Every structure is written in structure tokens, then in C-alpha cells.
Amino acid sequence: MKYSTNPNATLDEVKNLISYSIYHFDSEENSNYNLMHRAIIKKYFDAKNVRINYNDQTVDLKIPVGKRKYTGITFECQDLERFLKSCLRKDEKSMDFYQEILNHYNIYHAA
């Protein structure tokens, strides 16, 4: 799927959605926003088994270190919203992924 909008506008909309999702977060582990946050981190790090502890502001994940080899790491985020926004990339594959996120949340903007 090719994204048909301005990449900067798409990134801005995803950043707005991240801000909204942090402010309106439901503490359930499998909430819609938790799934989105984990998907963004998985995409950025090519990670698996991503877990976010919103109370402690920590992220636990497994990152690739070789063919089919992963290592677990945990790190603290002083500002989870800023961290999630820093995981956004502007390449075409990522932009398609972000457009899918926006479509999922029914967010549209003018091209």
C-alpha cells in the first residue's frame, strides 16, 4: 500500500495520536493504545515480546542480535510519549505502517 498523503502530515497525525493515547490511556495491558505503543516499538527495534510498564515507565523487549537470536533488555523512559515519538521513521515502509495505524483509529487528514 502506497501512502497517498504528505509524509510530514502523516507523522504529525501519528504524533498527535501518541499524545492523545498517553493522555487517555487505559491501564489494561491489551488496551488498543497499549497495542499501538507496543507495535511502534516493535517496528522501530525489530523487536518481539515488547511489554510496557506505564507505572514504572519501563520497556521490556527482546531485540535481534543475530539470525533468530534475541536478547532481552529493559530500559527506563523518563518520558514515554517523547520516547514513542522518537521511534517514528520517515521511510516508505514505516509510512505505510503509520497510515495503517491512522486508518485503524479512523483518523484522516487532507492531502
Side-chain angles (χ1 to χ4, degrees), residues 37-87:
H37 297 162
R38 289 175 22 219
I40 289 170
I41 294 169
K42 281 182 181 182
K43 176 97 175 119
Y44 184 78
F45 288 100
D46 194 24
K48 63 181 188 176
N49 300 341
V50 175
R51 288 192 311 271
I52 302 170
N53 183 319
Y54 292 88
N55 292 328
D56 294 339
Q57 296 282 309
T58 58
V59 176
D60 181 46
L61 67 151
K62 293 189 183 223
I63 58 170
V65 291
K67 268 193 171 176
R68 293 182 247 190
K69 292 184 181 181
Y70 287 81
T71 189
I73 62 169
T74 301
F75 56 90
E76 184 177 343
C77 299
Q78 292 182 343
D79 185 338
L80 186 60
E81 178 182 349
R82 190 171 68 194
F83 170 71
L84 289 168
K85 289 178 180 180
S86 77
C87 290

Side-chain angles (χ1 to χ4, degrees), residues 78-108:
Q78 292 182 343
D79 185 338
L80 186 60
E81 178 182 349
R82 190 171 68 194
F83 170 71
L84 289 168
K85 289 178 180 180
S86 77
C87 290
L88 301 178
R89 295 182 179 159
K90 204 172 180 177
D91 62 277
E92 187 172 327
K93 191 174 177 184
S94 295
M95 297 308 294
D96 289 343
F97 173 70
Y98 304 144
Q99 191 60 56
E100 287 178 27
I101 288 174
L102 294 175
N103 291 344
H104 176 77
Y105 289 95
N106 296 316
I107 296 174
Y108 303 98

Side-chain angles (χ1 to χ4, degrees), residues 25-36 38 54 105:
F25 185 72
D26 177 359
S27 62
E28 291 181 34
E29 184 168 326
N30 289 322
S31 77
N32 230 357
Y33 294 138
N34 179 277
L35 294 173
M36 177 188 68
R38 289 175 22 219
Y54 292 88
Y105 289 95

